[in-house]
Amino acid sequence: MDDTNQTPYVETVDASFLETLVGYNARRAALVVIDQFMQRMAPFDLRTVDFSVLSLITHNPGITSRQLCANLNILAPNLVAMINSLEKKKLIARKPHPLDGRAMGLHLTAKGQKLMVEAEKAVNQLELDATNRLTAAERKTLLVLLKKIYK
Amino acid sequence: MDDTNQTPYVETVDASFLETLVGYNARRAALVVIDQFMQRMAPFDLRTVDFSVLSLITHNPGITSRQLCANLNILAPNLVAMINSLEKKKLIARKPHPLDGRAMGLHLTAKGQKLMVEAEKAVNQLELDATNRLTAAERKTLLVLLKKIYK
DNA sequence: TATTGTTATACTCTATAACTATA
DNA sequence: TATAGTTATAGAGTATAACAATA
């Protein structure tokens, strides 16, 4: 008798099929970078999504909740608590929208501006660290190729 | 008086800072591809994570829960229900591990094998569709660069 | 009639502690 | 003493329906 019918077991896992998939690789890379992102933002008491919201407000003073939702793939009901929290921390302020009485424009406070200068500095450094195995050209190529997938 | 002090509002949102970030771009690309993935797997009644689990079992007959967790970043308690569900659907079967009495080796059933042949076909086609704006060389480059981030 | 912002709520995903049986 | 698998449970993230105020 040979051992053809013995129950097999696995010593080293072969993930080569999954590793051919763009979605699998993009998700794993994103998780690694976002994990480092969370660590760097912890001193600022910001989650990834909080940084994204504050960054869009930074570069788009007067942006509305509706516009934030559309750009960050957040549903409106789930944004409410985030905005309330950032307002409670005195990082942002709501002002009436000059053209639409239903909407509120979102703005950084002085405290929020100061925080975001430091936070964006930290993020820029994180980018260098997270991609330190890529050349500058490779990093640029990566961003171009990723945008071709989703834009 | 000029309009310097008027409250500003936003017509077109500028996300250019976020778009310089590898994590942001990788996450958005992953979400787009995974959304298409979910649609293609729906006819097979598989979620993304179910496909990943079944794919690893396909290419690693006898793999254990522990090994699945380590390779897919799933916590052991959260894998239990998935394995039970796949077993209930007669796609996989547990067999005693030949070397470790605590562990169970996971194997595809004939039904599971049949399903995975079709599912992997569908996934290969999805890959081509999701990356149809990339050349074959660009697609290869993208996978290489993403692996340099997380491996 | 449609849209902005909101509340309430449900569902899914992820995380932690603790147990059992085997190593 | 440590590990594989499991249970129970808590917390975070994501989803839908419905409402008031305004367009």
Side-chain angles (χ1 to χ4, degrees), chain B residues 90-101:
Chain B
K90 311 282 190 193
L91 297 175
I92 65 172
R94 293 175 222 231
K95 298 182 187 172
H97 193 284
L99 298 184
D100 188 335

Side-chain angles (χ1 to χ4, degrees), chain A residues 83-141:
Chain A
I83 297 296
N84 286 340
S85 168
L86 294 172
E87 192 180 31
K88 197 170 182 181
K89 289 200 265 180
K90 310 280 190 196
L91 297 175
I92 66 172
R94 293 175 224 231
K95 298 181 186 173
H97 193 283
L99 300 183
D100 188 335
R102 296 168 302 184
M104 296 295 287
L106 301 172
H107 303 260
L108 288 190
T109 63
K111 182 182 176 188
Q113 286 173 35
K114 207 171 160 186
L115 181 88
M116 282 306 286
V117 168
E118 297 307 313
E120 289 196 346
K121 263 189 215 168
V123 168
N124 284 327
Q125 184 57 50
L126 156 69
E127 282 294 295
L128 298 178
D129 297 342
T131 60
N132 65 5
R133 295 176 54 205
L134 274 59
T135 66
E138 283 176 331
R139 189 175 174 286
K140 193 176 170 187
T141 299

Side-chain angles (χ1 to χ4, degrees), chain B residues 9-143:
Chain B
Y9 65 95
V10 175
E11 288 179 351
T12 304
V13 174
D14 170 17
S16 54
F17 180 81
L18 293 178
E19 288 181 4
T20 67
L21 306 178
V22 171
Y24 177 85
N25 286 280
R27 181 160 187 274
R28 287 203 57 171
L31 287 177
V32 165
V33 177
I34 290 169
D35 185 68
Q36 296 177 50
F37 198 104
M38 289 192 295
Q39 293 175 35
R40 307 276 181 121
M41 286 301 106
F44 302 101
D45 195 25
L46 296 180
R47 297 169 306 160
T48 305
V49 65
D50 296 319
F51 177 85
S52 299
V53 166
L54 288 176
S55 178
L56 284 186
I57 298 173
T58 300
H59 300 287
N60 301 272
I63 193 172
T64 66
S65 291
R66 173 80 179 69
Q67 289 173 313
L68 284 174
C69 287
N71 277 271
L72 295 174
N73 263 319
I74 303 171
L75 293 171
N78 300 328
L79 184 65
V80 176
M82 299 182 211
I83 296 296
N84 285 340
S85 169
L86 294 173
E87 192 180 31
K88 197 171 180 179
K89 290 200 262 179
K90 311 282 190 193
L91 297 175
I92 65 172
R94 293 175 222 231
K95 298 182 187 172
H97 193 284
L99 298 184
D100 188 335
R102 298 168 300 182
M104 296 294 287
L106 301 173
H107 304 260
L108 289 190
T109 61
K111 182 182 176 188
Q113 285 174 34
K114 209 171 158 187
L115 181 89
M116 283 305 287
V117 168
E118 297 307 314
E120 289 195 346
K121 264 190 213 166
V123 168
N124 284 327
Q125 184 57 51
L126 155 70
E127 281 295 294
L128 296 178
D129 297 341
T131 60
N132 63 7
R133 295 176 55 204
L134 274 58
T135 66
E138 283 176 332
R139 189 174 174 286
K140 193 175 170 186
T141 299
L142 177 57
L143 295 183

